[in-house]
Amino acid sequence: MSQRHLAYLAVPAAGFLATPYLPFVNSTHLWFGLPSVLVWCVLWTVGTTAALALYEAHAPHPEDTDEEAAK
Amino acid sequence: MNTTMAVTLAGIIAIAAIGVSGRRTAGHGQDLGEWAVGGRRFGTVTMWFLQAGESFTTFSFLGLAGLAFSDGVAATYALGYLSLCLLGQYLTGPRLWRLGKANGYITQADFFADRFDSPLLGKVVAVVGAVFLLPYLQLQITGLGLIVQLATGSETGATGSMVLATVLTVGFVLWSGIRGIARAAYFKDVLMVVALIVLVVAVPLTISGGLGGLFETVRESRPALLTLDGAATDATWFTTAMLISAIGAGLNTMPHLWSAILSAGSARSLRRNYIWLPLYQVAIAVPVIVGFAGAMALAPDADSRAALLTMTGHALPGWLVGVVAVAAAATAMVPSAAILLGISTLVSRNLLPARSERATLRVNHVCVVLASALALVLGIARPGLLADLLLLTFGGLAQMAPATVAGLARHNRLGAVPALLGIVTGVLTLAWLTFGGVDIGTVDAGLLSLVPNIVVTVVAQLLLSSGLLGSRRLGAGSGSGRMVDCGDALADGTPADGGVAAPARATSGRGPTARD
C-alpha cells in the first residue's frame, strides 16, 4: 500500500469533505437543473468507483498471488 | 383490503419465500459456519447484492427523503459517508477477510478475542454489539410498520404487517441463514432500482415544471434548502457526521457487517465488490429529490418521515404505490435479517458457546427468535423505550474504531486493557455529551468522543508498557475464545480451509505476536 497509490483514494475523500467549504458548490446554483451540492456529491460518488478502480489496477496485491498459488 | 395493501402483503410474503429458497441443501449440512458466513464461498456478484442490500435501509428510503424535506441538500451527506466508508472497507475488508479465514472468525468479537488474545474482551465486545444492535433492529421493524401505514392508511394493517414481516424474516433467516439474506437481497435490489426509477420520473411530474421546474421553484421560494448553512445542518455538521459514519462503517464497527465480509470467497472478490458498490449508492439521490418535491408540495409542518410515501401516493396508482411499499419493506426486511444474524452469532458464538456444533446452532436459533420477538414487542408496545439507546448506537459502536485499527496491524501492539478502557471511555463520553445537556454545537458527539477514547487508550498503553498497569492481556485463559488460527492450520502443512473453526476449549499460552 504505497502513498502514491493511496493518493488516488484521497482525491474523492477530499472532494466530499470540501463540499461545504467551496463557494461554487455550497451555493444556490443549479447544475443541469439540480442543486450543485447534490450534483457534486453524485460526481464524487462515481469518482470513488474510478479512484478504487485505478488503485486496484495500479497498486500491487502480492497476497493475491500467494493465495492463488495456494489454491 | 385495498389494492395497495394486497400488493404490499403479497410482496412481503414473496421476499420471505425468495429468502427461504436460498438454503443450500444437497450434500451440505447446516453448521454455524455455513449458516452465518456461507462457508466463505461467495463471489463478487453475490457479495455486491448482499452488501448493497445491507446498506440500503429504511433510513435510506424514508429518512433521507425526510431529511431533504426538512433540511434540503444536507441529506447528501449520506452519499459522502457511504463512499468514504467504501474506501475504508476496500482497504480494511481484505485484511479482515484474510484474518477471518485463517483464524476461523464468524463474528466481530472473534476478531477482538483473537487479535488481543483476550476472550474477555471478545465477550465485552459481543455484549456491546448485541445491545447496540437491538434498537437498530427495532428501528427497521417499526420503519416497516410506518411504511405500510403510510402506503395503505391502515394503522391495524401496519401492526399486522410488522408481525407478519418479522415472523417471515425470522423464518427465512433460520432456514437459510446468510444465503437466504443474499437471495432476498437480489430481489430487493432489483425492485429498489425499479421503484426509484418510477419515483424519479413520476413524483417531479406532480410539481409544476417537472424535475427542472422543481429546483427553480426551490431556489425562488426556499433557497436555504440548496445550501449547507442550516442552523442544525451546517458545514460542521455535514463534515463531522460524514466522518463519524465513515469511520464507524469503514472500519466495520457494526457487528452485522462482518458476516458479509467473512462470507467472501476471496479478498479479490471483496475488493471488486467495493469498487462497484459506490455506483449503487448514486440511487440515494432519488429519495433526496423526492424529499425536495415534498418540501414544495406538502405543508412545512408535515411529518418529514412521511414525505416520500405521501408524494408516492400523490403520483402513482394504488397498485404501483404497493410496489414501492414492497421495495421499501424490503429495505427493512433484508437489513433486519442481517442484524438478526449479527446478534445471534455474537450470543451463540461468543457469549454462550455450546459444546457441540449442533447445540451451538440451536442456541443461535433460539437467539434469533428471542431478539426478533423482543424488538417486535417493544416496537409495538413501547416504541420509545430504546430511543435513547439508538441515539448511542452509531457513535457508540464507532468507539471500537481505534482498537479495530490496532487489531488490523500486522503486529498488534495494543493491549486488551488499554483497548477496553478506550472503548468504555468513548461510550461514557458519548452518553454524557448526548444526555448531559452539554452544548457542543453541531459537532458530532461520536466523533468528539473519539478524542478521550484515543487519549485514554494511548495513556493506558504507555502505563502498560512501563509495567504500571498489570498484564497486557485481559481475561486470557478464562474462556473459550481461542480460534484455530493460521499458525495452527499451517503448522502441520494443512492449509486453513474455508470452514469455520469451533471455539476451542483449550487455552492458549502463546504470545500475542504469534498470530500476526
Side-chain angles (χ1 to χ4, degrees):
Chain A
M1 193 185 297
S2 72
Q3 287 187 347
R4 182 165 67 86
H5 294 117
L6 280 176
Y8 296 147
L9 308 186
V11 174
F16 279 117
L17 292 171
T19 304
Y21 307 104
L22 299 173
F24 68 97
V25 176
N26 187 14
S27 73
T28 58
H29 294 139
L30 299 183
W31 294 350
F32 313 109
L34 295 168
S36 49
V37 172
L38 177 61
V39 176
W40 176 262
C41 288
V42 167
L43 283 175
W44 282 117
T45 304
V46 176
T48 302
T49 285
L52 286 170
L54 270 173
Y55 186 95
E56 178 72 13
H58 295 289
H61 305 286
E63 286 166 310
D64 282 357
T65 314
D66 297 343
E67 281 163 13
E68 278 161 18
K71 279 184 182 175
Chain B
M1 182 185 294
N2 61 30
T3 309
T4 307
M5 179 65 92
V7 172
T8 305
L9 292 181
I12 287 173
I13 293 168
I15 293 166
I18 290 166
V20 165
S21 74
R23 181 180 167 111
R24 190 177 193 186
T25 50
H28 294 272
Q30 283 279 59
D31 59 24
L32 194 63
E34 173 64 28
W35 186 84
V37 294
R40 306 180 203 275
R41 281 188 290 267
F42 286 179
T44 302
V45 175
T46 306
M47 291 298 303
W48 193 89
F49 279 100
L50 186 61
Q51 294 198 297
E54 286 182 1
S55 67
F56 215 107
T57 64
T58 49
F59 172 73
S60 317
F61 212 78
L62 298 187
L64 286 180
L67 189 55
F69 171 82
S70 58
D71 294 286
V73 291
T76 58
Y77 94 102
L79 283 166
Y81 94 70
L82 285 166
S83 297
L84 293 182
C85 117
L86 289 168
L87 289 173
Q89 289 183 336
Y90 176 89
L91 296 173
T92 61
R95 171 73 174 148
L96 286 180
W97 178 83
R98 288 193 176 98
L99 286 169
K101 183 176 168 66
N103 301 313
Y105 301 161
I106 294 182
T107 66
Q108 177 191 37
D110 286 347
F111 167 82
F112 277 91
D114 179 49
R115 297 299 293 167
F116 290 87
D117 200 18
S118 169
L120 183 57
L121 180 61
K123 288 181 191 299
V124 171
V125 167
V127 170
V128 169
V131 167
F132 278 135
L133 277 187
L134 191 63
Y136 195 40
L137 175 63
Q138 186 198 319
L139 180 71
Q140 304 305 320
I141 293 172
T142 51
L144 187 138
L146 181 68
I147 287 162
V148 175
Q149 184 178 340
L150 292 169
T152 65
S154 167
E155 198 167 330
T156 314
T159 306
S161 299
M162 285 165 64
V163 176
L164 176 70
T166 303
V167 170
L168 291 175
T169 301
V170 167
F172 87 72
V173 170
L174 288 182
W175 180 251
S176 309
I178 196 165
R179 290 183 184 278
I181 300 173
R183 186 72 64 88
Y186 279 103
F187 177 72
K188 175 207 165 184
D189 292 334
V190 171
L191 192 64
M192 278 293 309
V193 170
V194 171
L196 291 173
I197 290 171
V198 169
L199 285 177
V200 80
V201 172
V203 170
L205 290 178
T206 62
I207 307 289
S208 173
L211 188 59
L214 166 62
F215 289 104
E216 289 290 354
T217 311
V218 172
R219 186 160 63 173
E220 286 163 17
S221 59
R222 295 178 65 186
L225 290 180
L226 297 176
T227 61
L228 296 164
D229 301 319
T233 50
D234 59 5
T236 304
W237 174 86
F238 186 88
T239 313
T240 59
M242 192 192 295
L243 270 178
I244 191 65
S245 302
I247 289 170
L251 288 167
N252 299 294
T253 59
M254 301 190 78
H256 68 290
L257 301 176
W258 285 64
S259 293
I261 292 171
L262 298 174
S263 66
S266 69
R268 186 195 292 262
S269 67
L270 204 54
R271 289 201 313 271
R272 285 182 176 163
N273 181 44
Y274 291 131
I275 291 171
W276 297 109
L277 266 175
L279 295 184
Y280 183 72
Q281 310 303 347
V282 172
I284 279 177
V286 176
V288 174
I289 291 171
V290 174
F292 272 103
M296 292 298 99
L298 306 176
D301 60 349
D303 182 354
S304 62
R305 298 172 306 168
L308 185 138
L309 286 168
T310 306
M311 292 306 296
T312 305
H314 288 172
L316 300 174
W319 69 271
L320 210 43
V321 174
V323 172
V324 173
V326 173
T331 65
M333 288 176 72
V334 173
S336 290
I339 295 166
L340 273 175
L341 194 143
I343 293 174
S344 66
T345 48
L346 284 174
V347 175
S348 63
R349 170 84 166 170
N350 303 103
L351 295 178
L352 302 170
R355 289 185 180 279
S356 69
E357 193 61 51
R358 191 183 176 87
T360 300
L361 201 59
R362 198 176 300 134
V363 171
N364 180 79
H365 286 11
V366 169
C367 290
V368 169
V369 175
L370 288 179
S372 55
L374 186 58
L376 176 64
V377 169
L378 290 174
I380 293 172
R382 300 285 300 278
L385 190 67
L386 299 182
D388 285 348
L389 189 56
L390 185 63
L391 288 175
L392 302 181
T393 291
F394 303 102
L397 289 171
Q399 301 310 313
M400 290 195 243
T404 303
V405 171
L408 283 169
R410 189 163 185 81
H411 300 286
N412 178 15
R413 301 189 187 285
L414 182 63
V417 174
L420 183 60
L421 288 175
I423 292 169
V424 170
T425 303
V427 172
L428 289 178
T429 306
L430 177 65
W432 175 60
L433 293 175
T434 306
F435 305 122
V438 184
D439 182 11
I440 55 171
T442 53
V443 179
D444 187 274
L447 192 66
L448 214 51
S449 302
L450 278 176
V451 177
N453 176 341
I454 292 168
V455 169
V456 167
T457 302
V458 171
V459 170
Q461 181 62 35
L462 290 173
L463 291 174
L464 185 71
S465 302
S466 63
L468 293 174
L469 203 64
S471 170
R472 184 181 190 279
R473 299 161 75 194
L474 181 69
S478 64
S480 56
R482 178 179 169 264
M483 312 299 147
V484 173
D485 71 13
C486 186
D488 292 338
L490 297 177
D492 61 1
T494 308
D497 65 20
V500 174
R505 302 292 158 251
T507 54
S508 169
R510 289 172 307 144
T513 55
R515 289 166 286 106
D516 297 321

